[in-house]
Amino acid sequence: MKRGLLYSIAMLAALLMTFATAQAKTQFVTIGTGGITGVYYPTGGAIAKMVNKKKKEYGIRATVESTGGSVFNVNAVMNGDLEFGIVQSDRQYQAWHGLAEWKDKGPQKDLRSVFSIHPESVTLVAAVDSGIRTIKDLKGKKVNIGNPGSGQRQNAIDALTAVGIDYKKDLQAENVKASEAPGLLQDGRIDAFFYTVGHPSGAIKEATSGARKVRFVSITGPEIDKMLAKFPYYAKSVIPVEMYPGAQNDKDVPTFGVKATLVTSAKVPDEVVYAITKEVFDNFDDFKKLHPAYSTLTRESMLEGLTAPIHPGAMKYYKEAGLMK
Ligand code: GLU
C-alpha cells in the first residue's frame, strides 16, 4: 500500500517534470499586425495558425497583437517588443535606408525580411454628399490621413503633396486609426479617409455599407505618375469594386499601392524564422485559402518587394525549397 503511494507520487513528480521541461522549451513569439478590421490582423492569425499546428515539433507558440500599423511594427521589432511584424514594403524600404520616420534614427540595420504577402492599395474613401470626386477636391475637407505609426499616413501625405495639397494647411487632417475612420465617416464627422489596405477588408466593408453613401476616389493623373516614377516602392493598382456592393462606383478604381511584408530582427533565432517560413510555404495552398486578399499570391511573388536582407532562417528554407540559390 505504502509502496503503491510512493510509486504514485514518484510518477506524478516525473510527469510534472516532463511537463515543466516541455513548457520551458516553448518559445513564445508575437506578430504585430494592425487594426482588427484590416487585413494584417487576420494575416498574422493565418501565419500563427500555420506554425502553431506544429507546436509539438517546434516548441513555438505564435500569438498576434493588434497594433497601430507598419511604422509601429518596425519600431517594436527593432526594440525587441515583438519578434515579427507585418509592414508595408515602402515602410520596410524607408526603415532599412533610414528615411521618412527613420530619418533621425538612421538605417534600421537589424531589420530582416521573411516574405511578402498580399498587395495593398492606397484607398481613398469619400462621402458622396461631400462632393469629393478627385483627390484635389480634398482641399478644405476633413480627412483622416491616419495615425502616426500607421503605414498609410505617409502614402496619404505623398499623394496629397503630389497634387499640390499641403496637409497641414490646405485641409483639416485627422490622425485617427483606420479602424475608427469608417464610423467617423458614417457619423458625418469626417468627409473622407485614406487607408492602405488589402481587399476585401472589414474596415472598407464597414465604410461602404452604412446609411451615408460613400465612393472610392481614384488617385491618378500626371502628378501622381510623376510621384510613382520618383518612389521605387510604389506601383499602380486597382480597387476591385465588386468586393464592396455598397460603394457608389460602377468601375474598378485606379490608384497606387505597395505590398504587405513580414519582417523580423536579426536577433530572432534562425530556427524560429525557419519554422514559420517552412510552415507557410509547405502548406501554401492551405494558407492561401485563409483570406480572399491572397487570391493572386504565388510562392515566387512572396519573395518580391523585400528590401531588408532575408533572415538566414528564412533563407535556409528558400534554398532547401529551391526558391533561391
Ligand atoms: N497598411 C496598414 C499599415 O501599415 C495596415 C493595413 C492592415 O492592417 O491590413 O498601417
Side-chain angles (χ1 to χ4, degrees):
M1 188 66 192
K2 217 174 179 185
R3 198 182 262 181
L5 188 66
L6 273 177
Y7 179 75
S8 309
I9 292 173
M11 280 300 282
L12 193 72
L15 211 76
L16 280 174
M17 287 278 286
T18 325
F19 183 68
T21 339
Q23 284 292 92
K25 270 197 203 141
T26 303
Q27 296 205 52
F28 291 91
V29 298
T30 306
I31 307 170
T33 60
I36 57 167
T37 50
V39 181
Y40 286 10
Y41 188 74
T43 294
I47 295 168
K49 187 176 168 178
M50 303 316 288
V51 71
N52 287 342
K53 272 188 191 159
K54 300 267 183 78
K55 185 169 177 282
K56 282 210 185 97
E57 189 179 327
Y58 296 123
I60 297 170
R61 169 99 191 128
T63 53
V64 169
E65 197 174 297
S66 170
T67 73
S70 286
V71 173
F72 178 94
N73 293 342
V74 168
N75 295 334
V77 168
M78 289 300 87
N79 66 28
D81 286 343
L82 296 171
E83 285 73 29
F84 293 92
I86 306 179
V87 168
Q88 288 178 201
S89 49
D90 53 325
R91 303 316 225 142
Q92 189 190 133
Y93 180 98
Q94 292 162 346
W96 176 251
H97 291 290
L99 305 168
E101 273 87 343
W102 299 276
K103 216 171 186 153
D104 295 337
K105 289 187 207 161
Q108 302 300 295
K109 296 222 168 73
D110 275 346
L111 190 66
R112 293 293 176 271
S113 298
V114 186
F115 46 73
S116 70
I117 326 165
H118 58 279
E120 299 188 87
S121 288
V122 181
T123 306
L124 175 55
V125 185
V128 170
D129 61 34
S130 70
I132 299 164
R133 289 195 162 268
T134 73
I135 179 171
K136 289 184 183 168
D137 298 333
L138 292 176
K139 248 190 183 158
K141 303 288 185 189
K142 221 171 175 185
V143 185
N144 186 40
I145 60 168
N147 57 298
S150 72
Q152 55 269 6
R153 191 176 167 88
Q154 190 63 42
N155 306 143
I157 294 172
D158 286 345
L160 290 167
T161 309
V163 297
I165 296 179
D166 181 338
Y167 77 97
K168 288 184 185 147
K169 287 197 294 209
D170 304 332
L171 50 73
Q172 270 179 274
E174 294 294 331
N175 314 302
V176 305
K177 288 185 175 177
S179 56
E180 291 166 31
L184 295 179
L185 186 65
Q186 281 302 325
D187 289 350
R189 286 158 64 198
I190 54 172
D191 300 305
F193 70 84
F194 284 92
Y195 191 14
T196 303
V197 69
H199 294 292
S201 84
I204 305 296
K205 280 188 185 160
E206 189 187 337
T208 53
S209 52
R212 194 180 189 195
K213 296 281 170 250
V214 307
R215 68 162 72 94
F216 294 111
V217 177
S218 63
I219 308 180
T220 48
E223 295 107 322
I224 297 295
D225 286 348
K226 243 182 161 174
M227 177 202 73
L228 298 185
K230 188 169 137 198
F231 298 119
Y233 38 73
Y234 287 149
K236 288 192 177 183
S237 76
V238 160
I239 302 162
V241 293
E242 79 274 5
M243 288 177 173
Y244 305 104
Q248 304 294 298
N249 297 81
D250 45 24
K251 286 196 297 284
D252 286 351
V253 183
T255 178
F256 67 102
V258 293
K259 264 184 156 202
T261 70
L262 184 70
V263 301
T264 188
S265 156
K267 296 194 179 94
V268 173
D270 288 6
E271 63 273 17
V272 173
V273 184
Y274 174 82
I276 287 194
T277 311
K278 182 174 168 63
E279 288 316 310
V280 169
F281 277 77
D282 275 1
N283 303 293
F284 181 69
D285 294 333
D286 292 337
F287 177 76
K288 217 175 141 168
K289 281 187 207 131
L290 295 177
H291 200 286
Y294 309 154
S295 63
T296 58
L297 288 194
T298 62
R299 284 186 180 84
E300 291 72 22
S301 75
M302 289 178 76
L303 299 177
E304 290 162 5
L306 306 171
T307 307
I310 294 179
H311 190 285
M315 190 52 108
K316 181 179 170 222
Y317 175 79
Y318 298 140
K319 284 187 175 161
E320 276 172 18
L323 286 161
M324 274 189 181
K325 285 202 185 111

